[in-house]
């Protein structure tokens, strides 16, 4: 399995604090069946983890995984928040953040939590016009999407995908969030799954997410999600 959203890089944001924490997260991920992780530290006004730092930390973590015999491959990425459209566009044009697995076909494009960004549709269309698939992480956790689902529908119709978090499906983020996450599955609006893991408590649990999708929507629906995610990782 491939985890496309994980805060496993040590000491860069609110995820793993030290290398030992990152290694423990990786062990848990391996036990869960995950073999590929796209490291997605925050890229926002609070945690501005730039591409150069991401690439260096990925190499450092991969070396530690190899030394410790943990069979997981780490790839660079970022969780890019739409603080403002100027912030995202200028950062993209200057190569300040990483696309998912360094593949310019995919970007993790986060909304703010303080309110619905007015440039969200504009941003989705801008990425799509350049051949990039924007993926909106954890839309079920945003109150404005739960209160006005049409806002999310507008982004999907503009070309965005969603990434539902497993913790939401299992109820760790509250019953309203869980209900909305299930509704996204029902409507075919759950395009990808991820753990958004940050530590040993907010842990990698991707297999549970796929079990829930299979139980709720069937094996074929789960396989479609797997196929989308598998396409993000470069073939070796």
């Amino acid at each position: 399995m491939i985890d496309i959203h994980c805060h496993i890089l040590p000491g860069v944001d609110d995820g793993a604090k030290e290398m030992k924490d990152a290694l423990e997260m990786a062990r848990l991920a391996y036990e869960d069946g995950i073999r590929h992780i796209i490291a997605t530290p925050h890229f926002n006004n609070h945690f501005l983890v730039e591409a150069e730092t991401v690439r260096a930390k990925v190499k450092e973590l991969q070396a530690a995984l190899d030394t410790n015999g943990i069979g997981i491959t780490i790839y660079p990425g970022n969780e890019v928040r739409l603080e403002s459209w100027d912030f995202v566009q200028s950062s993209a044009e200057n190569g300040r953040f990483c696309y998912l697995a360094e593949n310019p076909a995919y970007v993790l494009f986060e909304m703010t939590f303080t309110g619905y960004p007015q440039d969200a549709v504009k941003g989705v269309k801008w990425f799509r016009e350049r051949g990039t698939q924007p993926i909106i992480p954890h839309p079920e956790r945003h109150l404005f999407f739960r209160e006005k689902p049409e806002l999310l529908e507008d982004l999907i119709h503009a070309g965005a995908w969603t990434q539902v978090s497993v913790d939401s499906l299992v109820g760790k983020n509250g019953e309203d969030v869980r209900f909305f996450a299930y509704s996204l599955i029902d409507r075919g609006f759950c395009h990808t799954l991820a753990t958004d893991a940050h530590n040993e408590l907010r842990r990698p649990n991707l297999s549970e997410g796929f079990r829930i999708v299979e139980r709720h929507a069937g094996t074929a629906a789960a396989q479609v999600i797997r196929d989308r995610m598998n396409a993000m990782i470069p073939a070796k």
Side-chain angles (χ1 to χ4, degrees):
M1 292 188 297
I2 299 166
D3 192 1
I4 68 168
H5 182 182
C6 185
H7 296 264
I8 194 171
L9 295 185
V12 295
D13 63 2
D14 58 345
K17 296 187 185 311
E18 301 176 3
M19 182 60 75
K20 64 179 181 63
D21 303 313
L23 290 174
E24 182 57 27
M25 287 176 66
R27 289 189 184 96
L28 293 170
Y30 188 87
E31 291 172 1
D32 190 58
I34 296 168
R35 296 295 179 266
H36 303 271
I37 294 176
I38 302 178
T40 52
H42 293 293
F43 187 87
N44 58 42
N45 286 339
H46 188 59
F47 292 111
L48 192 62
V49 188
E50 302 206 26
E52 184 177 354
T53 298
V54 175
R55 295 181 186 118
K57 286 287 188 177
V58 164
K59 289 181 180 178
E60 180 184 345
L61 177 55
Q62 188 65 64
L65 292 173
D66 295 344
T67 297
N68 285 272
I70 302 173
I72 286 179
T73 304
I74 304 290
Y75 304 85
N78 273 112
E79 182 179 15
V80 182
R81 182 178 295 169
L82 182 52
E83 303 284 9
S84 71
W85 179 240
D86 287 342
F87 169 77
V88 173
Q89 184 177 18
S90 63
S91 296
E93 291 173 343
N94 290 289
R96 294 180 67 192
F97 60 77
C98 290
Y99 292 87
L100 295 182
E102 298 275 50
N103 184 346
Y106 303 97
V107 66
L108 202 61
F109 188 41
E110 185 187 28
M111 303 295 104
T112 59
F113 279 90
T114 53
Y116 178 71
Q118 294 305 308
D119 287 330
V121 171
K122 175 182 178 180
V124 167
K125 290 181 177 179
W126 187 86
F127 277 119
R128 291 289 289 165
E129 287 167 359
R130 284 152 183 78
T132 299
Q133 177 63 65
I135 303 171
I136 300 170
H138 47 63
E140 72 280 357
R141 291 177 52 208
H142 292 271
L143 179 61
F144 48 77
F145 285 141
R146 299 198 303 274
E147 290 185 337
K148 294 184 177 180
E150 62 271 20
L151 294 175
L152 182 59
E153 293 169 21
D154 288 344
L155 296 179
I156 292 171
H157 293 323
W161 287 354
T162 67
Q163 172 262 296
V164 172
S165 294
V166 179
D167 274 1
S168 298
L169 291 173
V170 300
K172 290 186 178 180
N173 295 320
E175 191 61 20
D176 288 348
V177 172
R178 188 182 75 87
F179 180 83
F180 191 68
Y182 270 77
S183 75
L184 294 177
I185 297 173
D186 290 336
R187 301 184 65 190
F189 289 166
C190 174
H191 300 102
T192 65
L193 290 172
T195 70
D196 193 10
H198 280 62
N199 48 52
E200 296 173 44
L201 295 177
R202 195 171 165 183
R203 60 192 291 164
N205 54 357
L206 193 55
S207 63
E208 180 61 20
F210 277 111
R211 281 193 292 272
I212 290 171
V213 172
E214 289 177 358
R215 188 166 62 242
H216 194 69
T219 302
Q223 189 59 50
V224 169
I225 293 172
R226 286 192 184 92
D227 290 343
R228 287 194 190 103
M229 294 162 64
N230 288 340
M232 298 181 198
I233 299 297
K236 291 188 177 181

